[in-house]
Amino acid sequence: MVMGPPSFDERYRAVESRDSRFDGQFVMAVRTTGIYCRPSCPARTPKKSNVAFFTTSAAAHEAGFRACKRCLPEAAPGSPEWDLRGDVVGRAMRLIADGLVDREGVASLASRLGYSSRHLSRILSDELGAGPLALARAQRAHTARMLLINTDLPVAKIAFSAGFGSIRQCNDTIQEIFGLTPSELRSRRRSIESIPGEIALSLPVREPFDSAGVFRWLMARTITGMEQASETSYSRNVELHGGPAWFEVTADSETNSGRAATRLKLRVRVSEPGDLGALVTRVRRLFDLDADPMAIDTALAGHPEVVAQVRHVPGIRVPGAVDPHEMLIRTMVSQQVSVASARTTLTRVVEALGVTVAVTDGRPARMFPTMATIAEGGAQVLRGPGARVRAIVDAAGALADGSLQLDAGDDRRALRERLLALRGVGPWTADYVRMRVLNDPDVVLTGDVIVRAGASALGLPDDERGLAEWAIRAAPWRSYLNAHLWRAASETNTNRTNNGEMS
């Protein structure tokens, strides 16, 4: 059962206790000061009568408030609501965060969601207090802020890179939102060690966070030449709108010393600075950083069969996808084979069809091939049953020519139906892609052999029908139940092949 949004009193209590778990889920605006803050702001708690709450910072901007200079609400983790919600609002927020409005405009966003621009603006304004333009404007301001405090790029370059139409528009927006000029905002930046050409950032994380589990998960599936991973780091190349990019995520010292991590460190190289915001969004999806681990753990621990596992692995995450098209191909390659075998095949595909990029310091040099390249040359590189090879090549061709749409803003049911209509795609593949690409928190993979092995290890039904029926009680967090079952299976040395854990 999905609970509704917190009431005014519940939000105010979170502010009184400075509860950082709610950072990013809403902002508190103070009428007497004209400032809005994150719930954990260390400033004195204002009177209840002077407070208003907004779901998004954009709504606070529209109401005439500016961001607190002390708690920097724009730098809070993202809201878990947009992954939990599969409706038009959640889909719109995911696409706006990915930069769609800046690249293609509101009309394209509305068309992608199946609405007119006017109707979509009405929906978002009624529910969030801000329309798509205001939401995208807040996203641009956030990107500009990151570039100002983490690079030495000229303000003019930052303005256009962040998506603003003019330098003046950028200056006015930053002044309005942050109460500072771009130069003043830049002067407040902290010292960050960085390498020339790279941007160094910190990624806020809600605790608890099973960072070790995510890094091990990614390390086991690294494609040689394109990705590198260790127990505490992950890096890769990825194609973005402005060209090739590279990023590296590393766990901070608190994680290495055995304590829960509060931040991850991110280093990036982008071809165009304007890609920074979209890249950060994709990295956050990959590490599932906008999840609400306390809500998930509390709900799952309410079931005696899994309570010990949840306590054993608090803050478990379900990794997302950096590139939706790539994720479909990786998943199809992984069908009915071991993780190691899928990794070998994918490495061969990248070596044969991927593009080499200029790198230094021993970083990965290959890019995942384009869908058009796989459609043209995949049959000569892929190994295995002919029907499976043809299915992968056909899927790549459909993605390349646009007859198959796949991105973070898809409707969950419609995406599943589109994928099942493809030759060679069954329920496991369709549901796995939906879980990874959309960060859908409520997918149960009852056809996964390892999931069922984990269920058996924890005393749950291990047949498809029985597990599906039991898992209903874990809604809307069944994807995290999957993650716990995978972990339980791996820790008991259960069989690791067939419909594999991961692509």
Side-chain angles (χ1 to χ4, degrees):
M1 178 179 178
V2 181
M3 298 181 65
S7 66
F8 182 97
D9 287 342
E10 289 171 331
R11 290 175 174 178
Y12 190 76
R13 285 197 295 272
V15 170
E16 284 184 308
S17 61
R18 295 177 173 80
D19 194 333
S20 62
R21 294 176 300 170
F22 292 93
D23 287 352
Q25 300 194 42
F26 62 85
V27 296
M28 173 195 67
V30 185
R31 297 186 182 93
T32 52
T33 63
I35 293 173
Y36 69 90
C37 306
R38 62 169 77 190
S40 66
C41 182
R44 186 174 62 182
T45 303
K47 293 181 179 179
K48 185 182 292 188
S49 59
N50 293 331
V51 166
F53 293 110
F54 296 94
T55 304
T56 65
S57 60
H61 303 160
E62 291 294 282
F65 296 93
R66 63 175 175 82
C68 175
K69 299 174 185 178
R70 187 172 182 181
C71 71
L72 297 175
E74 307 294 331
S79 173
E81 186 174 359
W82 314 133
D83 289 335
L84 185 59
R85 293 176 60 163
D87 61 1
V88 64
V89 173
R91 295 169 60 200
M93 291 300 290
R94 293 197 296 273
L95 288 171
I96 291 170
D98 200 43
L100 181 64
V101 172
D102 289 333
R103 293 194 304 269
E104 303 177 21
V106 174
S108 180
L109 173 67
S111 175
R112 181 72 182 81
L113 297 172
Y115 291 88
S116 68
S117 297
R118 179 177 296 181
H119 190 45
L120 177 62
S121 296
R122 185 182 304 116
I123 292 173
L124 295 179
S125 296
D126 288 347
E127 184 148 354
L128 303 181
L133 281 174
L135 292 163
R137 178 171 174 260
Q139 182 75 15
R140 287 194 292 272
H142 180 48
T143 300
R145 185 190 66 81
M146 286 193 293
L147 290 170
L148 282 166
I149 66 176
N150 292 289
T151 76
D152 293 316
L153 289 173
V155 173
K157 177 71 171 177
I158 288 174
F160 293 111
S161 297
F164 290 102
S166 68
I167 299 173
R168 180 176 179 177
Q169 186 184 72
C170 176
N171 291 343
D172 291 347
T173 298
I174 289 174
Q175 178 73 53
E176 179 183 338
I177 292 177
F178 301 110
L180 299 166
T181 66
S183 297
E184 290 171 337
L185 186 59
R186 169 165 276 173
S187 69
R188 297 166 64 92
R189 66 181 177 180
R190 56 191 174 82
S191 176
I192 299 178
E193 292 185 9
S194 62
I195 299 172
E198 292 185 357
I199 300 172
L201 304 169
S202 291
L203 299 176
V205 180
R206 290 190 180 90
E207 297 180 6
F209 175 51
D210 177 34
S211 62
V214 177
F215 283 118
R216 284 197 299 267
W217 178 286
L218 295 172
M219 183 170 60
R221 295 150 180 91
T222 298
I223 298 177
T224 304
M226 188 185 84
E227 300 170 295
Q228 290 179 338
S230 72
E231 293 279 351
T232 57
S233 69
Y234 173 78
S235 65
R236 64 161 290 169
N237 296 314
V238 61
E239 184 71 24
L240 298 176
H241 181 70
W246 170 87
F247 70 84
E248 179 186 60
V249 178
T250 56
D252 64 11
S253 58
E254 287 186 318
T255 299
N256 295 333
S257 65
R259 291 182 291 157
T262 56
R263 291 193 183 272
L264 297 176
K265 295 178 181 178
L266 172 66
R267 294 165 53 208
V268 306
R269 284 181 179 265
V270 291
S271 298
E272 290 293 335
D275 282 333
L276 178 62
L279 179 56
V280 170
T281 294
R282 295 188 186 197
V283 172
R284 294 193 66 81
R285 287 180 186 151
L286 178 64
F287 281 79
D288 197 17
L289 296 186
D290 294 335
D292 185 348
M294 292 296 291
I296 295 165
D297 288 359
T298 298
L300 294 181
H303 307 293
E305 299 91 337
V306 298
V307 61
Q309 181 66 22
V310 173
R311 290 174 178 169
H312 174 55
V313 190
I316 202 165
R317 295 300 205 269
V318 177
V322 171
D323 185 317
H325 292 187
E326 174 191 311
M327 181 49 59
L328 175 58
I329 301 304
R330 293 179 76 147
T331 306
M332 294 182 72
V333 168
S334 300
Q335 294 175 131
Q336 304 298 328
V337 299
S338 68
V339 170
S341 178
R343 179 180 178 180
T344 299
T345 298
L346 289 163
T347 296
R348 184 189 308 120
V349 169
V350 169
E351 288 177 348
L353 304 177
V355 175
T356 301
V357 294
V359 297
T360 57
D361 302 326
R363 291 191 282 114
R366 305 292 284 177
M367 301 286 292
F368 197 82
T370 66
M371 296 301 104
T373 301
I374 295 175
E376 181 179 349
Q380 288 73 49
V381 178
L382 292 164
R383 301 288 184 269
R388 184 158 66 95
V389 171
R390 287 192 296 273
I392 294 170
V393 170
D394 288 350
L399 290 168
D401 65 25
S403 58
L404 175 63
Q405 295 289 325
L406 178 60
D407 61 39
D410 280 318
D411 176 81
R412 293 168 182 170
R413 290 186 179 181
L415 174 60
R416 189 176 194 272
E417 291 173 359
R418 288 201 304 272
L419 293 177
L420 289 175
L422 296 175
R423 178 171 60 177
V425 171
W428 179 84
T429 300
D431 288 335
Y432 184 85
V433 169
R434 180 164 56 100
M435 180 177 70
R436 297 291 307 281
V437 170
L438 304 185
N439 288 98
D440 187 340
D442 201 30
V443 175
V444 59
L445 299 173
T446 57
D448 191 303
V449 170
I450 299 178
V451 166
R452 296 205 304 272
S456 177
L458 296 184
L460 300 179
D462 59 3
D463 62 290
E464 290 193 41
R465 181 175 179 179
L467 180 57
E469 291 177 349
W470 188 94
I472 291 173
R473 67 191 70 185
W477 310 117
R478 283 176 282 188
S479 296
Y480 297 90
L481 174 64
N482 283 327
H484 279 295
L485 298 182
W486 278 324
R487 182 70 65 88
S490 68
E491 291 179 351
T492 55
N493 274 330
T494 311
N495 176 21
R496 300 169 185 244
T497 60
N498 213 334
N499 270 350
E501 321 173 34
M502 165 85 170
S503 60

